[in-house]
Amino acid sequence: MTSDPSDSSGPAESNSPESDAAREQQQRELLQREAHFWDVQEEQIESLYQRPHDWRLVPDLAERIIQPRIDRIGKLLRQYKITSMLDVGCGNGWFCHGCADQEGIRSYGVDLSQKKIDEAWRLAKERNLEGLCHFEAKDVMDFEIPEKVDLLTSHGSLHHFPDLEHQLPEMVDRFLKPGGYMLFIEPHYEGMSPGIREFVLKMVNSKLFGRFFDVDFYLEVSRRQSLDGPEEEPEEGEVNIRGESPAGLEFFEDHPEMSDILKKDYDVLEEHYYHYFSGHFSNVFYIYQKSKIVRGIYRILLPLIVGLDTHMCRKPSSQEYAEEGLWFLRRAPGSQPKPRAQELL
């Protein structure tokens, strides 16, 4: 993150030991709030599955929608002969479990949330994967593993790092073998494309379809007064498990340009984009849908929708508005971590 050029304090004061200590304290407090958020979410996760507000909380729907991405990841793991990996922000360990079970990969997972890690261990034991999986609740910058791995991966966590441009090279240097690989799946575009948004609003406001759309639930979840109104600010200390985490709120609309950061320092072997409209349509025509008939028809059409969405995400005009990006990269042998700003002074 860059400093405000209008700040009159000047470089000397902004890099003073006092300001560095204040920033570090703010980051520690943010990490504590972030861990608490995910602990609370894990404790209440069943309530989210019982009344989902997003397509990712309907397992069989989510599996169908992300299948193209999962297929691509499987091919990459086999093609590059990955035998060990570290998942940063592993949550309940779902990716570690899948890689260990299906590919025999030694999988390490680290997450801030103790509750998530407890669930990751429980699921690993349930699937007899304790010998291939290891999990710890910790800040990844304080994490240690007994070996350098073939693959460093993260699924939706990197964009919350406050100093990613320096923290990522440090993680690469500490955890990844020379010539090793990285697999990152991160949010790419917030919201819908203008065309999709216009279509959805037209459908929701129509007399025919609008009566089937659960407006009240949508407004409750989105914390809006109207369909196209602004989102209400959360109260201080509030934990809204249907909303953004504290780190997400801290850096909302200030996420790093992931593609630029990754391409600057690493060799991009593959780059793909997903969910131009399939996720949005799944929420509109299934999650917030009152009519069982409409939901049934949508399920029947879902394979066609996912296929069309995957095809459209190959076009640059659609990639611009895709919800998620996938980057598969290679660490150049002998590469060195980028020094922090204060180390240059």
Side-chain angles (χ1 to χ4, degrees):
M1 297 176 68
T2 58
S3 59
D4 185 352
S6 66
D7 189 348
S8 60
S9 59
E13 184 177 337
S14 65
N15 289 288
S16 67
E18 292 81 5
S19 62
D20 288 343
R23 277 196 298 270
E24 290 179 5
Q25 178 62 27
Q26 289 175 347
Q27 290 187 14
R28 282 195 295 269
E29 292 174 355
L30 178 60
L31 290 177
Q32 290 172 358
R33 297 200 307 273
E34 186 78 358
H36 177 64
F37 174 90
W38 293 111
D39 279 345
V40 173
Q41 196 228 48
E42 183 61 34
E43 290 173 349
Q44 302 179 23
I45 195 72
E46 286 305 317
S47 67
L48 296 181
Y49 284 119
Q50 289 169 8
R51 197 186 187 199
H53 63 279
D54 185 82
W55 59 268
R56 296 170 181 85
L57 293 164
V58 182
D60 61 329
L61 201 71
E63 287 175 11
R64 187 65 191 86
I65 293 171
I66 70 172
Q67 195 59 52
R69 187 211 311 165
I70 296 299
D71 291 343
R72 172 57 57 186
I73 291 173
K75 290 178 182 177
L76 290 170
L77 295 177
R78 291 185 289 274
Q79 179 180 348
Y80 291 93
K81 299 178 173 58
I82 303 300
T83 62
S84 60
M85 69 161 212
L86 168 61
D87 187 2
V88 178
C90 66
N92 67 6
W94 68 273
F95 189 69
C96 291
H97 300 145
C99 290
D101 188 26
Q102 298 180 30
E103 307 294 339
I105 295 173
R106 293 190 308 283
S107 301
Y108 302 91
V110 60
D111 197 279
L112 290 171
S113 168
Q114 184 65 58
K115 299 286 186 181
K116 294 287 184 185
I117 291 300
D118 290 345
E119 181 65 4
W121 274 117
R122 187 189 71 79
L123 293 170
K125 292 175 182 177
E126 186 179 277
R127 298 172 64 173
N128 296 316
L129 296 172
E130 305 102 306
L132 285 173
C133 293
H134 178 82
F135 302 102
E136 286 190 34
K138 191 172 286 188
D139 178 359
V140 67
M141 307 312 292
D142 299 324
F143 186 55
E144 299 289 343
I145 52 176
E147 62 175 320
K148 290 200 172 187
V149 295
D150 297 328
L151 180 72
L152 179 67
T153 188
S154 184
H155 300 250
S157 296
L158 290 188
H159 67 286
H160 287 165
F161 278 66
D163 189 21
L164 182 63
E165 288 194 71
H166 295 98
Q167 289 171 311
L168 180 57
E170 185 176 339
M171 285 188 280
V172 168
D173 184 65
R174 288 177 55 204
F175 301 125
L176 194 62
K177 294 176 180 178
Y181 302 96
M182 289 157 273
L183 170 66
F184 301 131
I185 293 92
E186 292 291 324
H188 175 63
Y189 183 79
E190 295 274 0
M192 306 177 190
S193 72
I196 296 296
R197 180 177 176 79
E198 181 180 355
F199 172 76
V200 166
L201 284 174
K202 186 180 295 184
M203 292 291 291
V204 170
N205 289 316
S206 69
K207 290 183 178 180
L208 177 62
F209 180 79
R211 57 181 175 166
F212 299 127
F213 184 78
D214 196 338
V215 176
D216 292 337
F217 183 42
Y218 174 78
L219 295 179
E220 174 192 335
V221 168
S222 63
R223 304 167 71 92
R224 303 173 192 269
Q225 296 296 321
S226 63
L227 291 173
D228 56 354
E231 190 171 331
E232 295 179 358
E233 292 290 329
E235 297 181 8
E236 186 175 353
E238 179 186 8
V239 177
N240 174 23
I241 60 171
R242 294 187 186 275
E244 272 280 7
S245 70
L249 293 171
E250 184 85 6
F251 307 117
F252 188 70
E253 295 183 344
D254 191 26
H255 291 164
E257 187 57 50
M258 195 64 59
S259 183
D260 291 347
I261 291 176
L262 298 176
K263 291 179 178 178
K264 183 168 58 177
D265 293 323
Y266 308 109
D267 299 329
V268 180
L269 302 181
E270 293 198 19
E271 181 177 7
H272 305 280
Y273 294 90
Y274 298 95
H275 318 320
Y276 170 66
F277 72 87
S278 59
H280 303 305
F281 274 24
S282 295
N283 284 340
V284 172
F285 296 105
Y286 192 89
I287 298 298
Y288 295 101
Q289 183 54 236
K290 296 178 181 178
S291 170
K292 292 182 179 180
I293 294 175
V294 173
R295 289 203 300 269
I297 293 173
Y298 186 78
R299 277 190 174 275
I300 293 171
L301 295 176
L302 187 58
L304 295 176
I305 291 170
V306 172
L308 177 59
D309 192 45
T310 303
H311 175 73
M312 291 186 69
C313 281
R314 298 190 184 107
K315 301 178 180 179
S317 58
S318 298
Q319 291 174 356
E320 179 183 357
Y321 298 106
E323 284 189 82
E324 295 180 342
L326 179 155
W327 293 270
F328 189 75
L329 311 105
R330 177 172 51 208
R331 177 189 184 185
S335 61
Q336 297 297 320
K338 181 188 292 187
R340 293 179 178 273
Q342 58 263 34
E343 293 173 354
L344 298 175
L345 299 177

